[in-house]
Amino acid sequence: MNGTIKHAILRVTGMTLLIAALVPSGGFGALLYTPAQYNRVYNEKVALELELQSLKRQYGNDKANLEASIAELKNRVEGLERELENLRAQMDEEKKQSATRIRELEEMIALLQKKGSDREKELVEENRRLQQRCADDMTALREKLEGERKRHLEEIGELKGDYERKIADLNKSILNMKQELADLQNLTKKQKEELSRMEDQAKELESQLAEEIKKGEITLKRFHDRLIINIDERISFDSGSARLKRDVMPALEKITAILNNYPENKIIVEGHTDNVPIRTSRFRDNWQLSTERALSVLAHILRSSKTNPARFSAAGYGEYNPVVPNDTPENRALNRRVDIVVAPRLTQR
């Protein structure tokens, strides 16, 4: 026999197993195993054979997979070689086209260089002209600025003079106002008495004219040093007329009687209109109408008054002293009025 073991003799004696074998050298070897050891060795042998079979199957699978991968790689290499060949062909074609394009660009550059040289000469000449024009403009601008600077200095001088005069006028006005304030703060006993009489006169007028005031025909306005008796146009004059209506006579009689009780006061009769223009054969404008109405009221008072006419005066303001804006019919009616202004004799209007 050509194997490792030429011959084996098994003999069972009691619980001992004798295995004898001839080894290749012609010697005889004997191994003694117990049944348990034999079973273990046998099981290991079976396990190794099974593992060997599994490794053979795995080797076969790995070999098949590697062969498939090798075949795929060969295909890819062949495809890459074909792509490389195509790229080389494209590169050769692009080199030819590039060479042609380079020649064209070189020719274009040469042409542009020639044109650039001509353009450069034109630009140099144009730059020279622009510099000359710039220098001329700068000279003209400097002259203009210098002229404007002188003019501004003159204007500043004039403004300075105006402001100095205005400041002097303001200082003068401030001094006058201070003086007036001092005069007001130093009211004499006689002035205080006159103001007290004005208050009494206002109360008497309010009492005597209570009915007219309630109807809105008469309005009394009291200020610090004067009393204004406002007579509504509805009872005093027809539209566009300066003739007194009979309706206003009783109120004027009451006012005149009270004014006679205070002979020391100054009386100013003021006529006012709205802003609607008037032009008739009798009145050329609102100025004349307002003045004529004031004179009509003043004439009636003087006819019934026993005091000195020098206390009285009349004024026409036309449309230029309204009590409310002339923007509605109602407001315009309020502005058409005659005011009797009562002021202390020592008070300046």
Side-chain angles (χ1 to χ4, degrees):
M1 297 178 66
N2 296 325
T4 304
I5 300 174
K6 299 292 186 179
H7 179 71
I9 299 174
L10 299 177
R11 185 179 60 180
V12 178
T13 304
M15 295 298 294
T16 303
L17 176 63
L18 175 63
I19 300 174
L22 292 177
V23 295
S25 59
F28 178 81
L31 297 176
L32 297 177
Y33 289 98
T34 63
Q37 290 174 335
Y38 176 79
N39 289 332
R40 181 174 58 81
V41 171
Y42 180 77
N43 289 334
E44 289 177 357
K45 174 180 177 293
V46 172
L48 289 172
E49 289 175 349
L50 292 174
E51 184 177 356
L52 178 60
Q53 292 175 1
S54 176
L55 288 173
K56 286 180 178 181
R57 285 193 301 273
Q58 182 177 355
Y59 171 74
N61 293 334
D62 291 344
K63 181 180 179 182
N65 291 334
L66 287 173
E67 288 176 349
S69 297
I70 290 170
E72 183 180 355
L73 287 173
K74 285 181 178 180
N75 292 332
R76 290 182 61 187
V77 168
E78 290 175 356
L80 290 173
E81 288 177 348
R82 287 192 298 271
E83 290 181 5
L84 180 59
E85 187 64 27
N86 292 333
L87 288 174
R88 286 175 178 172
Q90 291 178 4
M91 288 179 65
D92 291 340
E93 181 63 25
E94 288 179 359
K95 284 180 180 180
K96 294 178 182 178
Q97 294 178 358
S98 297
T100 302
R101 183 58 178 164
I102 289 171
R103 286 193 301 272
E104 293 175 353
L105 290 174
E106 288 175 348
E107 292 174 358
M108 186 180 296
I109 289 171
L111 180 61
L112 290 174
Q113 286 176 344
K114 184 178 182 304
K115 289 183 178 180
S117 177
D118 297 338
R119 181 57 178 164
E120 182 179 3
K121 293 177 182 179
E122 294 176 0
L123 291 175
V124 168
E125 179 61 23
E126 185 176 354
N127 183 52
R128 185 193 64 77
R129 289 195 301 269
L130 288 174
Q131 287 179 347
Q132 182 61 43
R133 185 186 301 173
C134 227
D136 295 341
D137 291 344
M138 288 295 294
T139 301
L141 182 58
R142 280 195 295 268
E143 293 175 354
K144 181 179 179 180
L145 290 176
E146 181 63 22
E148 290 184 354
R149 186 182 72 84
K150 291 180 180 179
R151 181 171 57 82
H152 289 158
L153 288 175
E154 293 174 357
E155 291 177 355
I156 290 171
E158 293 175 359
L159 289 174
K160 183 179 179 182
D162 291 340
Y163 284 132
E164 289 176 350
R165 286 190 294 273
K166 289 180 180 178
I167 291 171
D169 293 339
L170 286 174
N171 289 332
K172 185 177 179 180
S173 299
I174 290 171
L175 291 175
N176 293 335
M177 292 175 66
K178 288 181 178 179
Q179 184 61 45
E180 291 179 4
L181 181 60
D183 293 341
L184 289 173
Q185 291 174 344
N186 296 317
L187 285 173
T188 64
K189 180 180 179 181
K190 187 174 182 179
Q191 288 172 318
K192 292 181 181 179
E193 290 174 354
E194 288 188 0
L195 291 176
S196 177
R197 285 195 296 271
M198 286 286 296
E199 183 67 21
D200 295 338
Q201 189 176 13
K203 292 179 180 178
E204 186 175 354
L205 284 166
E206 287 177 349
S207 175
Q208 293 294 328
L209 300 171
E211 183 177 354
E212 289 83 356
I213 292 173
K214 184 177 180 181
K215 292 179 180 179
E217 299 171 348
I218 300 291
T219 303
L220 293 181
K221 299 177 183 178
R222 285 188 287 180
F223 295 94
H224 173 68
D225 62 345
R226 69 196 65 229
L227 173 67
I228 299 177
I229 307 167
N230 172 253
I231 304 174
D232 192 277
E233 182 202 42
R234 291 175 298 172
I235 66 168
S236 55
F237 298 101
D238 290 326
S239 177
S241 172
R243 183 186 296 275
L244 284 170
K245 296 169 67 173
R246 292 184 179 275
D247 296 344
V248 77
M249 298 302 181
L252 283 178
E253 296 298 332
K254 295 177 183 179
I255 293 170
T256 302
I258 296 172
L259 294 178
N260 287 336
N261 295 332
Y262 299 88
E264 68 284 352
N265 292 334
K266 293 170 55 180
I267 311 299
I268 306 100
V269 182
E270 299 178 347
H272 302 272
T273 67
D274 58 23
N275 65 343
V276 178
I278 183 173
R279 187 175 183 85
T280 66
S281 59
R282 176 75 187 277
F283 305 110
R284 63 179 178 271
D285 52 30
N286 282 328
W287 283 106
Q288 186 177 10
L289 175 61
S290 63
T291 304
E292 291 291 341
R293 285 182 171 181
L295 289 172
S296 294
V297 173
L298 176 60
H300 184 82
I301 292 174
L302 289 178
R303 281 195 299 270
S304 304
S305 176
K306 300 176 182 179
T307 59
N308 183 5
R311 297 171 50 204
F312 294 84
S313 63
Y317 289 89
E319 63 192 74
Y320 299 103
N321 193 15
V323 293
V324 291
N326 284 293
D327 53 3
T328 64
E330 294 77 11
N331 283 357
R332 286 192 290 273
L334 292 175
N335 289 328
R336 296 191 297 269
R337 69 197 189 280
V338 173
D339 290 338
I340 300 174
V341 181
V342 183
R345 184 175 53 196
L346 299 179
T347 299
Q348 298 296 324
R349 181 168 174 77

